[in-house]
Amino acid sequence: MSSTFAPESHFITARDGLRLHYRDYPCPAATRLPFVCLPGLARTADDFCLVAEAAQQSGRRVLALDYRGRGRSEWDKDWRRYNPDVEEEDIFAVLADAGVARAVFFGTSRGGLHTMRLARARPGLISAAILNDIGPVIEKKGLLLIKGYVGKMPPLQKMSDAAALMRLTASVAFPAITPEQWEIFARQTFEERDGKIALRYDPELAHTLDDITPECEVEDLWEAFAALAQHPILALRGETSNILSIETFAEMARRAPRLERHTVPGQGHAPLLLDQPTIERVMQFLNKQD
């Protein structure tokens, strides 16, 4: 096991001038490929804190990104730039700043979609991948539920209220989450600002889901997945997920012979990466790479 170095926050300027943040878990004596963590739509680098520490201790440098408009990255004045193409330019800018040309990628939800697209756009960048509750087919029912809460929240005065709200609204899909984990998840989702509880992302992100309606067609990403399928993959699925169906989960394994599957019991979309069994399963896969 390597020595643990405290994570460092780095800021860079995107091509359009926006200030971007990423967290770097250094490992000066690393002999293994870096580990790049990409969060979900309205999520941040903090979602990967426990996984990143475990990977760092195993001898890898870890990068965890805040997309524009999330976490410590600057909010964009035009929500239309919260789109995959622009975000992937930002990802490439972060990788260039960090000096990373090849890595193992870990993508939660939207981060997994980025991982598939990056495999197609830049062959050689990804050596292996972990996909957290996402596949080439996204269930419309789940997208409509996400649309119902992204960017919306009642007035909250303290973090315990935020944890109680999350537990009230999501406990059916996440029966396995402990009170302590709800507290952690609340702190990863909200922050105290000017004496009130605020979202840790730009509420304008909600507009990226404007086109999601009961009548819309959701484009699949099987073509992009095919580019990733030549690599080792660990696919995680929350047992109660409404985004990644059991059928798509099985079809992914059929199309990618090197894919391993793991179901996270008692969690929905997306598994929180706070429980030890899931972290151990991720590390089991990660330690086989390189």
Side-chain angles (χ1 to χ4, degrees), residues 47-257:
D47 285 357
F48 298 98
C49 58
L50 297 184
V51 168
E53 290 171 0
Q56 181 193 38
Q57 291 171 11
S58 74
R60 291 184 193 270
R61 180 189 183 192
V62 183
L63 305 180
L65 280 64
D66 281 335
Y67 308 130
R68 57 179 58 212
R70 290 82 146 181
R72 298 181 68 183
S73 288
E74 187 179 358
W75 292 7
D76 202 313
K77 292 180 175 63
D78 183 358
W79 66 264
R80 294 170 185 82
R81 289 198 286 266
Y82 295 138
N83 70 67
D85 291 337
V86 173
E87 289 173 8
E88 282 157 24
E89 284 186 9
D90 294 345
I91 292 169
F92 289 138
V94 167
L95 295 177
D97 183 74
V100 171
R102 185 170 172 81
V104 180
F105 276 68
F106 190 159
T108 292
S109 194
R110 187 179 186 87
L113 300 179
H114 281 311
T115 300
M116 288 182 249
R117 287 168 51 103
L118 293 173
R120 179 177 59 183
R122 188 168 291 187
L125 173 63
I126 297 173
S127 67
I130 302 169
L131 302 177
N132 185 18
D133 208 63
I134 195 67
V137 177
I138 307 171
E139 297 302 308
K140 190 191 304 182
K141 177 182 178 181
L143 284 176
L144 288 168
L145 287 171
I146 292 172
K147 181 179 180 178
Y149 66 76
V150 167
K152 305 172 181 69
M153 62 175 285
L156 300 170
Q157 298 300 319
K158 51 189 178 181
M159 196 61 71
S160 59
D161 294 339
L165 174 66
M166 298 184 79
R167 190 172 184 176
L168 176 67
T169 57
S171 59
V172 171
F174 287 85
I177 301 305
T178 67
E180 294 76 16
Q181 289 169 342
W182 282 120
E183 293 282 348
I184 295 171
F185 191 41
R187 290 195 297 271
Q188 292 174 341
T189 307
F190 304 97
E191 63 185 4
E192 296 185 44
R193 192 188 309 147
D194 301 325
K196 295 183 179 179
I197 301 300
L199 294 166
R200 296 190 63 206
Y201 62 87
D202 183 354
E204 293 295 300
L205 271 171
H207 287 301
T208 65
L209 299 168
D210 285 348
D211 293 338
I212 302 300
T213 67
E215 299 77 25
C216 76
E217 292 292 328
V218 180
E219 181 182 2
D220 71 60
L221 276 84
W222 284 117
E223 181 184 345
F225 181 77
L228 189 64
Q230 61 186 301
H231 304 293
I233 304 170
L234 171 63
L236 307 177
R237 179 181 182 272
E239 183 182 28
T240 66
S241 177
N242 53 24
I243 287 290
L244 176 58
S245 71
I246 294 174
E247 293 76 18
T248 299
F249 200 40
E251 182 64 13
M252 290 165 67
R254 192 187 71 80
R255 298 195 187 200

